């Protein structure tokens, strides 16, 4: 027996029901459900998605038996309606609509008014007594059929319509009478024949078959394919086809058509919401030619129908337990429901719906939690442009960090700081940013870069700061010399106002007004519910006390990553940092030389002794100056770092704070631009050439793979020693004040067991010294980032010594793929376009590859230290999909930017609901 | 019962034997063995290495029972010798020498003439009738004892000696008579007391105990520790102590001392080799004050003793089945053998020894193979400086690529090419090199860089070319502007001669003459034997027909890596390459825009159609120029590439050739320096600014992780298409000429399954087209490099499509560690110094981490394609230790620089001997 291909609905009974979406599509399943609920739905039948699948698999042939099944259902429909397709007395008209299991609004095609031909026109006129209506229906049908079924471009029909309107001086379509429309229909048939080389088909069965095929074809049109790719719609069989008897909202003033929501989808308010048009067809509402009226007004116009509508919408919401988006048509005072589906909603509305419905008892907390798309919350956490404001968009870059910003254009971090001191709002525009721009970025309203991707320096730092950023905007050509940028022929000069939208990537001329976000009580309620459910802890990446405070307000349960390098860029510090960097290599080299000479001397033969002694004296003399500079630089930095940590510990009282020791290569702290180098030379009282030579000597071809992180700790141990001293002293000082501190000292880019051992021993040595001196005990831990493939592979060995792991998935992704996140902009978009990559792996963790290393790292780590604390502090820590993965592999926490904390809390709760795993550790 | 701590030897019987080296040390074990063989050895006893171990473990205390055991053995020795320590009639004198299981020449300390005191001096004078001899022995003893046992620096004694010599106007020590020496002894005792605050010990038992302790202490002195680290000597318990009765070669003209080898250790010739000094002690030979005579002359001086010596040396070589390095002393016409050990030898000698001894039937082929250190072969494969030539070394860098080179200094690749056209020999001196320097490197005698490590670009390319290179020579300060370099105050100007030694890293002023290598017939024989034994195939990395030919002569069984990028730098090519690079992005962007516009147009509504059409026309117009440039550039390159491949196929007739498609980022082909950019602008007839903008637009922060390899193949498919076309056309053309070709097309830096699928499909499409056109069939394969961690992790998926894997362990090491091989010079030396890393992982494959990925890659790859061909083409492919690993994990072949092929053949044979695994695939 062949499977059932066609599902009938009508007269209160349907073959299908709501949970058959996969087979009947969303529209078809809900039409069946509504029918079963006793809601008036124009009868019809649905051809299943399996048919679409079979059709494509079978070289665009129908499966056996389908034609007969359609015939049977059509007869049934004709019998039920008491009308026949193409009948000259009582013609049945039908719509033929697509409808897949997932909503793809407007992506696929539909044909309305199918069944019209010269006979049926007569019948329709007789039946309705409305000649104009009939001819209007006919010309609409020919246009749609020609366009959708036969690829006759719509503009051919529109040109004819326009010509006729001109001829009779009609301003709008409604000015055309039946006669006009009749001759338009004739012309339409002529152009149809010209373009298709065949007559417009009069046989309604042929019309129907062709329309069904056209709907199947639309499943794989460019728009539909792109839409499914963009929204990641996968695993569907195809589209169903709904053949439904037509009802008409344009049969006069007792007819109407409309769209409504059971609650307000914008604000979330529990108030019936929608609009309608008297004497109109659905497409008129969409076309926006006439302004629809608010749904409340229907009560005045057709009170009985309105009450029916209210009753049905309540039935539907209660039945589906979610806000419904409903289409209806009123044909001569009779109400028909044409569609119902869960309504799209803003983030604010989504939260209000979920909380209200839970309180109403309609759904439970878990359902409320699972209803919200965590990514959507982003909307609520940043200021946005006033939707009513005018925008003059001149370029579009990558939406790198959400938010809306307006300010005067500046082209350097220094300039940003200068202007902001005068309380000017500025937008920092750079080709790309580097760590030395941090200060300027901090005071800017937003950042615009012309290079780099979603995880370029600018993007990462901006997201960390919760600051708006548009990155990689290649059409903006910056000229630092003239302090201007160009887009095509438009020139924007320093001091001109621009606005940037970090959620869309838009760059606009002038000032665009913004709206501040407000987190409502419902938001907080939902977060509480999420916290009850989730297992994963949520920490924040925060480098400053301000960020830490903000993060705590948003629910952070500690700091997962406090980067110490950003602290080095402060006004009073960078000079000391540079002094340290300039003297450190000399100190190191001279100390090494002295050690060798001392050994040589001890074993030297008579005739060499004096030479060695002289060399030794010389080396010791040479060491004096750089050593003084080095020590004084470190001594200057110590109290400042200590103060930083004190404030951060205070803001995180009672919560753990993971502090990463210095990570970037030292050359990032040296000025690259000419005028900055001159300034530095002046400040340090050395020659410009010396500065240039040092900068050049420290240059690296691939700094990401260079002399950074724990490698600095090994070669210049005094720097880490100073940082550890600052941390432990700060912890002691705060503890004395009654603050509860849990410092977690984290060593970056460990790849070798012995690297960790040496540095960890150093940390403990310093910590012990200080605690003894202060007579205090601090509960601190020493752990490591796992951000290099080798670290994950030897995690069992590292975990013998490390008390915690934090996966630095930014770097781990870079190394595993061999992708530089600053440079992937030139090919990753192509990769996504060509389906080589599904997603940018810097935004969503690549579970197939990088995820293997994370999993290996955790398993091996816990094989030697079962209670190993494990978290993630890469950018991925705020990505919902990645959070699910982190939950699955048994991490203890995720850490993300302050502004993504609510998102992470929600996503973690959703992950728990989907994977209620038992944590083996706490 | 406590273990036996002391082993006696003497009078033809010994407690120990040769295979007890671990317990008795090399010296002790062989003294025992010689005693057992009936060879005259001065009797004595050996304190075991276990004692040294126990001594250190037990806070420098002797284990229980040791003192008694020493006493017993001492008595036995006194009885055997008929003499007593410190005896005034017939005093016994002994030497106390160190001796570990592994040879550590000169690293540990010895004390001779022990047992002398005022009584014994009398006895010695009586016994020998030689007063001068006795006092000379005494002063030597005090010096040694003071220095070695009590840390009284040797120069104090030497100063006293010098003062006495001056006083009596003695030119040399031999001018001092007994009286002089006696008063020197007195002064020695005074300085000894001054420095140690105690009298020089007269009790021989105390002398002995202190000397034994000093030998134990010397096991852990700085030199010994460093030596063991450098030569990777591990797992030893400690040193043994040999207490042996003294014999004297300085008792007159019937006494002598000498060192000899059973065969010539320099040339390998089977001829007795060595030297001796009449009337001398061993240390006199070492001090080099008198010139020793060749061993043959001993036959004339003491024929009987000489014949004895020849007999014993033959006995020893036959017994140990290897060339022996023998120390002997003749005391008044009596021959004593003091030491025998396997002799150190040059590479040439090692080969000749192994081959000769095999032919003589002394050893078998397997033993012959395992006797040679593959790394030592390097000496034979490059020219070397004449050892007799004078060298003025001004700086020492890293010995990056072996060989010796002399030439005029130039500072740019262009200049190198210019001068070499005039047949000048040049040395290219650069801060660092980049791919655009390849041409210049090729024509230079050698390369000197001031930055970069053993695997920097310069080093890698130079090794590939078999060209001498000294890299990372930081003390050389290059100034391109003035065309000079400085080392301290020395200035070397363009055109000055320098010489560099790639095996030592030395940089010398002026021209130093060189010696050309010659590969003897023995070498070839040994290689044949290696080939019989090894399982791993050995291929070469070769980019040019010349390299390929040379490699084949050295035994290459195919090309494992032919890099196509080096071909792009040729004189006639670089312009076309640059034209291609400048036009490619425009072509790509415009094509993408046209595709979008065409789609838009197809779906456009009336009011938009015209705008889109206009835009489309505009885009098509804009495309014309770059498209023409792009196509013509590719068309220019095609025949040149085809020719390259034809020549390479011809030179590898019958063998596989793996060709890697373009790998480096395109910006590497663009000029970075100002004057080069100007030249390019002129040639391409565009503005300098345009060139600069393109260069700047293509700049990458981390090019190693950037837009390169297969990523170029995806974004600019025409480039790979052209290369594939050239390969397949070349293969067809050669096949027509009767050449047997096996092209293996290799895609670089694959990290994603779909990347490989798309590019592989392209390769097959092009190949099919060409083969159809030519009416020919070529056996070719398509495979990939595995050089990114992700590729190894998903190797099972990649192997579904890839026919072979080649591990690119350079990049794999970079990504796994997060090390840039160009930048590690700043910390890897510290890492090795501090024992964080044992070795530079770019020289010896890191089996612990990177090796895991290699192993995973092979296992997973063969899980989906059991007959997957697997090789290695990173620099590690020529490293013996890595070759053992490759053999173990079941690779099919290794590929290395032409000059390392013999090394790889030998190492592969040794690996087979150690791990005779069964290959599962062929």
């Amino acid at each position: 027996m062949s499977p059932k291909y066609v599902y009938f609905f009508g007269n209160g009974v349907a073959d299908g029901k709501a949970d058959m979406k996969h087979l009947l599509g969303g529209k078809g399943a809900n039409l069946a459900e509504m029918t079963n609920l006793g809601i008036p739905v124009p009868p019809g039948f649905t051809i299943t998605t399996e048919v679409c699948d079979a059709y494509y698999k079978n070289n665009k042939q129908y499966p056996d038996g389908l034609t007969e099944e359609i015939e049977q259902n059509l007869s049934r429909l004709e019998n039920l309606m008491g009308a026949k397709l193409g009948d000259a007395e009582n013609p049945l008209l039908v719509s033929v609509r697509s409808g897949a299991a997932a909503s793809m609004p407007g992506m696929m095609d539909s044909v309305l008014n199918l069944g019209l031909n010269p006979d049926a026109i007569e019948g329709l006129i007789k039946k309705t007594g409305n000649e104009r209506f009939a001819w209007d229906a006919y010309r609409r049908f020919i246009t749609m059929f020609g366009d959708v079924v036969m690829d006759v471009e719509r503009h051919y029909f529109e040109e004819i319509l326009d010509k006729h309107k001109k001829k009779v001086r009609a301003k709008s379509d409604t000015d055309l009478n039946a006669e006009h429309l009749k001759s338009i229909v004739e012309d339409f048939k002529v152009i149809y024949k010209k373009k298709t080389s065949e007559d417009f088909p009069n046989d309604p069965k042929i019309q129907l078959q062709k329309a069904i095929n056209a709907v199947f074809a639309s499943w794989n049109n460019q728009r539909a394919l792109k839409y499914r790719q963009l929204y990641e719609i996968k695993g569907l069989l195809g589209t169903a086809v709904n053949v439904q008897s037509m009802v008409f909202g344009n049969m006069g003033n007792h007819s109407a058509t409309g769209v409504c929501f059971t609650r307000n989808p914008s604000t979330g308010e529990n108030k019936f919401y929608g609009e309608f048009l008297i004497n109109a067809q659905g497409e008129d509402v969409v076309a926006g030619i006439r302004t629809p009226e608010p749904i409340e007004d229907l009560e005045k116009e057709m009170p009985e129908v309105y009450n029916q509508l209210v009753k049905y919408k309540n039935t539907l919401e209660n039945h589906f337990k979610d806000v419904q988006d409903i289409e209806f048509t009123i044909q001569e005072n009779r109400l028909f429901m044409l569609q119902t589906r869960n309504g799209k909603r803003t983030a604010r509305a989504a939260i209000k719906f979920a909380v209200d419905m839970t309180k109403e008892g309609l759904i439970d907390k878990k359902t409320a939690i699972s209803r919200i798309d965590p990514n959507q919350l982003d909307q609520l956490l940043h200021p946005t442009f006033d939707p009513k404001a005018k925008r003059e968009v001149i370029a579009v870059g990558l939406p790198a960090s959400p938010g809306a910003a307006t300010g005067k254009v500046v082209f350097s971090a220094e300039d940003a700081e200068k202007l902001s001191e005068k309380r000017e709002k500025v937008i920092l525009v750079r080709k790309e940013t580097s760590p030395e721009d941090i200060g300027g970025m901090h005071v800017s309203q937003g950042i615009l870069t012309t290079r780099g991707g979603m995880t370029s320096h600018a993007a990462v730092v901006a997201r960390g700061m919760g600051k708006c950023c548009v990155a990689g905007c290649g059409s903006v050509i910056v000229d630092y010399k003239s302090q201007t940028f160009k887009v095509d022929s438009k020139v924007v000069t320093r001091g001109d106002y621009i606005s940037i939208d970090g959620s869309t990537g838009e760059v606009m001329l002038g000032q665009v007004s913004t709206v501040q976000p407000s987190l409502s009580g419902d938001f907080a309620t939902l977060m509480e519910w999420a916290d009850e459910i989730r297992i994963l802890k949520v920490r924040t990446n925060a480098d400053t006390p301000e960020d830490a405070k903000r993060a705590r307000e948003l629910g952070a349960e500690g700091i997962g990553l406090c980067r110490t390098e950003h602290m080095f860029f402060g006004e009073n510090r960078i000079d000391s940092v540079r002094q340290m960097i300039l003297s450190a290599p000399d100190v190191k080299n001279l100390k090494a030389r002295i050690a060798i000479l001392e050994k040589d001397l001890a074993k030297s033969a008579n005739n060499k002794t004096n030479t060695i002694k002289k060399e030794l004296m010389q080396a010791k003399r040479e060491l004096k100056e750089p050593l003084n500079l080095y020590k004084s630089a470190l001594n200057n930095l110590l109290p400042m770092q200590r103060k930083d940590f004190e404030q951060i510990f205070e803001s995180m009282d009672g919560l753990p704070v993971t502090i990463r020791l210095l990570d970037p290569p030292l050359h990032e702290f040296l000025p690259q631009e000419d005028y900055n180098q001159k300034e530095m030379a002046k400040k340090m009282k050395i020659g410009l050439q010396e500065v240039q030579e040092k900068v050049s000597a420290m240059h690296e071809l691939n700094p990401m793979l260079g002399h950074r992180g724990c490698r600095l700790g090994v070669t210049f141990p005094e720097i880490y020693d100073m940082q550890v001293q600052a941390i432990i002293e700060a912890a002691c000082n705060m503890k004395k004040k009654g603050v509860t501190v849990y410092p977690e000292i984290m060593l970056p880019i460990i790849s070798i067991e012995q690297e960790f051992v040496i540095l960890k021993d150093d940390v403990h040595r310093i910590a012990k010294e200080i605690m003894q001196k202060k007579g205090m005990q601090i509960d601190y831990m020493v752990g490591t980032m796992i951000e290099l493939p080798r670290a994950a592979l030897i995690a069992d060995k590292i975990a013998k010594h490390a008390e915690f792991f934090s996966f630095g998935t930014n770097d781990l992704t870079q190394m595993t793929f061999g992708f530089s996140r600053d440079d992937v902009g030139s090919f990753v978009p192509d990769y996504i376009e060509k389906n080589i990559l599904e997603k940018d792996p810097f935004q969503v963790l690549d579970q197939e590859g990088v995820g293997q290393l994370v999993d290996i790292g955790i398993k091996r780590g816990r094989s030697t230290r079962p209670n190993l604390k494990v978290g993630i502090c890469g950018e991925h820590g705020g990505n919902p999909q990645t959070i699910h993965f982190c939950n699955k592999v048994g991490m203890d926490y995720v850490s993300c930017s302050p502004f993504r904390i609510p998102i992470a809390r929600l996503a973690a709760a959703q992950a728990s609901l989907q994977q209620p795993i038992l944590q083996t550790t706490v």
Side-chain angles (χ1 to χ4, degrees), chain A:
Chain A
M1 206 188 98
S2 68
K4 183 175 169 68
Y5 291 129
V6 181
Y7 284 70
F8 195 84
F9 55 89
N11 211 18
V13 188
D15 298 347
K17 50 185 180 163
D19 65 6
M20 294 168 79
K21 281 201 174 68
H22 189 66
L23 191 64
L24 304 180
K27 181 193 282 280
N30 280 358
L31 285 171
E33 191 79 5
M34 285 198 286
T35 304
N36 285 330
L37 286 171
I39 290 172
V41 168
F45 55 87
T46 304
I47 306 170
T48 68
T49 57
E50 285 177 353
V51 175
C52 184
D53 187 43
Y55 178 78
Y56 275 105
K57 282 184 178 153
N58 193 23
N59 198 23
K60 302 200 180 172
Q61 297 294 314
Y62 285 171
D64 287 347
L66 176 65
T67 310
E68 293 73 21
E69 237 184 295
I70 292 176
E71 280 290 346
Q72 288 158 13
N73 279 277
L74 187 60
S75 301
R76 192 171 162 192
L77 182 60
E78 287 176 333
N79 291 338
L80 183 63
M81 299 299 290
K84 271 179 86 73
L85 271 187
D87 194 62
E89 293 300 318
N90 189 9
L92 174 67
L93 300 192
V94 296
S95 63
V96 179
R97 294 178 202 258
S98 62
S103 171
M104 296 166 62
M107 285 304 122
M108 291 184 299
D109 299 315
S110 301
V111 180
L112 305 183
N113 303 350
L114 187 139
L116 282 172
N117 60 16
D119 288 347
I121 269 288
E122 295 305 313
L124 192 59
I125 293 170
K126 275 184 206 154
K127 191 175 162 187
T128 61
N130 186 336
E131 202 171 350
R132 189 195 175 282
F133 162 77
W135 286 107
D136 191 48
Y138 203 6
R139 69 98 189 167
R140 285 174 193 260
F141 170 52
I142 296 172
T143 306
M144 274 194 183
F145 190 91
D147 174 24
V148 170
V149 179
M150 302 301 292
D151 268 340
V152 181
E153 290 174 22
R154 193 172 267 268
H155 66 92
Y156 292 115
F157 299 109
E158 283 163 351
E159 279 159 16
I160 291 168
L161 192 66
D162 285 348
K163 217 188 299 165
H164 279 269
K165 276 159 77 178
K166 249 184 214 161
K167 206 168 72 185
V168 302
R169 299 184 185 184
K171 278 181 191 159
S172 79
D173 296 0
T174 47
D175 296 336
L176 296 168
N177 64 25
E179 273 314 302
H180 299 144
L181 290 164
K182 195 173 170 183
S183 82
I184 286 168
V185 164
E186 274 158 28
D187 285 359
F188 273 15
K189 285 186 177 173
V190 172
I191 191 78
Y192 179 95
K193 183 160 187 186
K194 195 170 156 199
K195 292 291 163 192
T196 64
S197 311
E198 54 186 58
D199 286 324
F200 189 84
N202 283 335
D203 182 345
K205 298 275 171 77
I206 290 173
Q207 290 175 359
L208 182 59
Q209 193 193 352
K210 287 195 172 213
I212 291 170
N213 291 351
V215 171
F216 285 152
S218 72
W219 173 249
N220 280 330
N221 71 24
Q222 284 298 337
R223 281 180 305 169
L225 288 172
K226 186 77 196 169
Y227 188 93
R228 291 203 292 277
Q229 187 193 324
L230 280 173
Y231 291 89
E232 298 167 52
I233 297 172
K234 281 174 201 167
L236 299 189
L237 291 171
T239 182
V241 183
N242 298 292
V243 178
Q244 194 177 14
S245 50
M246 287 293 301
V247 286
F248 295 95
N250 56 346
M251 286 181 71
N253 287 336
H254 296 287
S255 297
T257 190
V259 175
C260 59
F261 285 78
T262 56
R263 306 186 186 204
N264 186 318
S266 174
T267 64
E269 198 184 1
N270 188 359
K271 198 179 151 201
F272 193 28
Y273 175 92
E275 48 193 25
F276 70 100
L277 266 177
I278 296 284
N279 193 16
Q281 256 195 327
E283 56 175 343
D284 299 329
V285 182
V286 179
I289 299 162
R290 288 159 55 196
T291 307
E293 297 174 62
I295 199 76
E296 306 89 87
D297 293 357
L298 187 63
E299 194 170 9
K300 282 175 276 175
E301 308 243 5
M302 309 182 194
E304 210 170 312
V305 173
Y306 179 78
N307 287 337
Q308 262 186 323
L309 182 61
V310 169
K311 193 180 93 191
Y312 294 149
K313 72 107 184 160
N314 287 337
T315 306
L316 288 171
E317 189 179 277
N318 282 321
H319 181 72
F320 287 106
K321 299 186 191 303
D322 201 353
V323 169
Q324 295 298 298
D325 166 359
I326 298 164
E327 288 177 22
F328 65 90
T329 284
I330 302 162
Q331 180 177 319
E332 297 183 316
N333 278 325
R334 268 186 77 192
L335 175 64
F336 293 95
M337 307 296 265
L338 298 187
Q339 172 153 313
T340 190
R341 57 185 172 191
N342 292 339
K344 304 236 178 231
R345 58 204 71 180
T346 63
R348 181 180 314 186
I351 290 172
K352 190 157 171 52
F353 290 167
V355 173
D356 284 354
M357 286 185 175
T358 307
K359 289 183 176 164
E360 292 160 21
L362 207 57
I363 58 175
D364 62 8
K365 285 181 188 176
K366 288 181 180 175
T367 309
I369 288 295
S370 59
R371 283 268 171 90
I372 317 289
D373 174 3
N375 284 317
Q376 222 187 358
L377 296 187
D378 220 21
Q379 287 177 20
L380 301 180
L381 299 165
H382 297 275
T384 49
F385 283 116
D386 187 342
K388 291 165 216 147
K390 225 187 124 185
R391 299 172 170 214
E392 189 184 349
V393 177
I394 54 168
V396 180
L398 298 171
S401 178
T406 287
K408 288 184 174 176
V409 168
V410 293
F411 291 97
S412 74
E414 286 79 7
D415 205 16
E417 295 189 65
K418 239 180 264 170
L419 258 73
S420 74
E421 276 167 23
K422 298 178 193 156
R423 303 199 175 272
E424 299 269 22
K425 293 190 169 182
V426 299
I427 305 279
L428 177 60
V429 181
R430 301 281 304 163
K431 288 181 182 168
E432 59 202 356
T433 62
S434 69
E436 53 180 308
D437 297 326
I438 298 276
M441 294 170 77
H442 201 77
V443 299
S444 300
Q445 301 302 305
I447 296 117
L448 169 62
T449 67
T450 63
R451 282 194 208 138
M454 294 293 286
T455 43
S456 59
H457 177 266
V460 172
V461 172
R463 282 199 293 277
M465 293 177 173
K467 199 164 289 272
C468 165
C469 174
V470 173
C473 191
S475 56
V476 167
I477 311 295
V478 167
D479 182 0
Y480 289 133
K481 263 189 211 156
S482 66
Q483 293 276 296
T484 59
F485 74 73
K486 262 202 279 190
V487 182
D488 299 328
S489 57
K490 287 198 184 66
V491 178
V492 175
T493 308
R494 175 187 178 280
D496 290 353
Y497 272 103
I498 62 168
S499 301
I500 59 174
D501 187 332
S503 309
T504 63
E506 290 171 323
V507 179
M508 292 153 275
L509 286 184
Q511 301 187 64
V512 180
S513 56
T514 58
V515 184
Q516 284 304 313
S518 71
L519 304 186
S520 71
D522 288 331
F523 188 93
T525 305
L526 193 84
M527 283 296 123
E528 274 170 33
W529 297 347
D531 293 347
E532 289 168 15
I533 289 166
R534 71 187 159 88
I535 297 162
L536 273 176
K537 299 250 175 212
V538 176
R539 296 196 191 180
T540 190
N541 299 350
D543 307 339
T544 63
E546 300 81 54
D547 281 353
K549 266 178 219 147
R550 194 177 309 146
R552 196 165 188 169
E553 284 160 19
L554 291 169
E557 296 164 291
I559 291 182
L561 176 62
C562 173
R563 285 163 291 215
T564 49
E565 52 269 21
H566 292 173
M567 302 174 179
F568 278 21
F569 279 103
E571 184 70 32
N572 304 318
R573 305 173 178 203
I574 187 70
D575 292 343
S576 294
V577 171
R578 288 174 178 171
Q579 182 177 316
M580 172 189 91
I581 293 168
L582 292 191
S583 50
D586 290 343
V587 169
K588 174 184 161 241
N589 293 337
L590 285 163
K591 279 190 173 174
R593 201 167 134 220
I594 288 168
I596 290 169
L597 287 169
E598 279 174 342
K599 279 183 202 166
D600 284 355
L601 188 62
K603 287 286 155 188
S604 62
N606 190 21
N607 55 353
K608 276 193 172 176
T609 308
N610 282 331
T611 328
I612 297 175
K613 274 189 182 166
K614 265 187 210 161
E615 276 187 56
L616 192 57
M617 298 273 283
Q618 172 66 17
K620 283 183 177 170
R621 265 198 305 275
E622 279 176 34
L623 177 60
K624 256 189 200 162
E625 196 195 332
L627 189 62
N628 281 343
L629 286 171
Y630 190 49
K631 279 190 180 162
S632 76
L634 289 168
N635 284 340
N636 285 344
L637 289 169
L638 175 65
M640 300 195 252
Q641 284 256 292
R642 188 170 53 221
K643 181 102 185 182
D644 293 328
F645 296 135
E646 284 174 0
Q647 292 175 342
I648 285 174
F649 286 143
E650 194 167 23
S651 68
M652 282 285 156
D653 186 1
L655 296 174
V657 175
T658 307
I659 297 168
R660 180 176 74 184
L661 302 186
L662 194 66
D663 186 49
L666 295 182
H667 54 75
E668 283 201 5
F669 297 98
L670 296 181
Q672 299 302 321
E673 320 243 346
D674 234 33
Y675 64 93
N676 287 331
Q677 290 180 346
K678 276 181 199 156
E679 201 181 342
M680 173 172 163
K682 216 170 110 189
K683 272 194 185 162
M684 315 219 79
K685 290 171 188 139
I686 54 178
L688 174 61
Q689 203 188 338
E690 193 178 333
V691 172
Q692 286 169 339
E693 274 173 14
K694 291 273 183 181
V695 169
S696 153
M698 295 189 101
H699 170 76
E700 292 185 315
L701 290 178
N702 295 286
M704 191 59 66
L705 308 171
H707 192 177
R708 52 177 282 238
C710 66
R711 299 162 197 171
L712 296 170
V714 170
T715 50
F716 306 118
E718 299 83 359
I719 300 177
Y720 275 15
D721 287 355
M722 180 277 286
Q723 293 199 297
V724 172
Q725 187 181 348
I727 292 168
I728 300 294
E729 286 180 354
C732 289
N733 295 349
M734 284 298 104
K735 192 177 177 181
K736 223 173 261 170
K737 288 196 181 167
V739 176
T740 308
V741 289
Y742 297 112
E744 299 177 346
I745 297 171
M746 182 156 74
L747 300 169
I749 63 159
I750 290 287
S751 65
I752 307 168
E753 181 183 359
Q754 200 55 22
E755 244 176 352
F756 187 86
V757 170
I758 285 184
L759 294 172
K760 174 211 66 172
D761 287 348
D762 262 0
V763 171
H764 287 316
R765 179 178 52 76
I766 302 270
K768 203 172 155 188
E769 274 172 29
I770 292 161
M771 293 189 302
Q772 274 175 354
K773 214 157 87 184
K774 299 247 177 190
M776 299 181 75
Q777 190 61 36
I778 299 293
D779 278 342
Y780 71 95
M781 294 208 285
V782 186
T784 182
M785 300 271 281
I786 301 288
E787 52 189 330
L788 297 173
R790 198 176 189 282
L793 292 168
I794 63 158
D796 46 343
K797 292 174 186 166
I798 295 176
K800 285 193 286 179
H801 320 284
E803 292 169 279
F804 65 88
F805 280 0
S806 179
F807 282 86
T809 47
N810 289 354
D811 275 5
L812 194 59
T813 300
Q814 297 199 95
M815 303 305 159
T816 307
F817 274 94
F819 283 179
S820 159
R821 66 178 189 195
D822 291 307
D823 302 312
V824 291
S826 51
F827 61 90
V828 160
D830 286 275
Y831 270 43
I832 290 169
E833 172 74 27
K834 295 188 181 177
N835 274 318
I836 293 173
L837 279 174
E838 272 183 60
K839 305 231 179 142
D840 182 342
F842 292 107
Q843 288 181 48
V844 180
L845 187 85
D846 158 54
Q847 294 184 25
E848 185 186 6
V850 182
Q852 277 195 51
L853 288 174
V854 173
D855 197 31
I856 286 173
I858 296 176
K859 289 212 176 85
R860 294 195 182 166
R862 290 200 174 134
S863 76
T864 53
R865 184 184 293 263
N867 68 342
L868 184 74
K869 201 190 241 192
V870 178
I872 182 175
C873 64
E875 282 272 308
H876 301 98
N879 169 265
Q881 210 170 317
T882 308
I883 291 169
H884 277 251
F885 173 78
C886 294
N887 191 63
K888 196 174 75 184
V889 295
M891 285 196 190
D892 297 298
Y893 69 86
V894 298
S895 186
C896 57
S897 312
F899 283 98
R900 292 196 76 83
I901 285 170
I903 297 168
R905 287 162 74 190
L906 180 61
Q910 292 179 345
S912 291
L913 290 176
Q914 282 181 29
Q915 313 152 332
I917 60 151
L918 257 178
Q919 295 278 98
T920 52
T921 61
V922 271

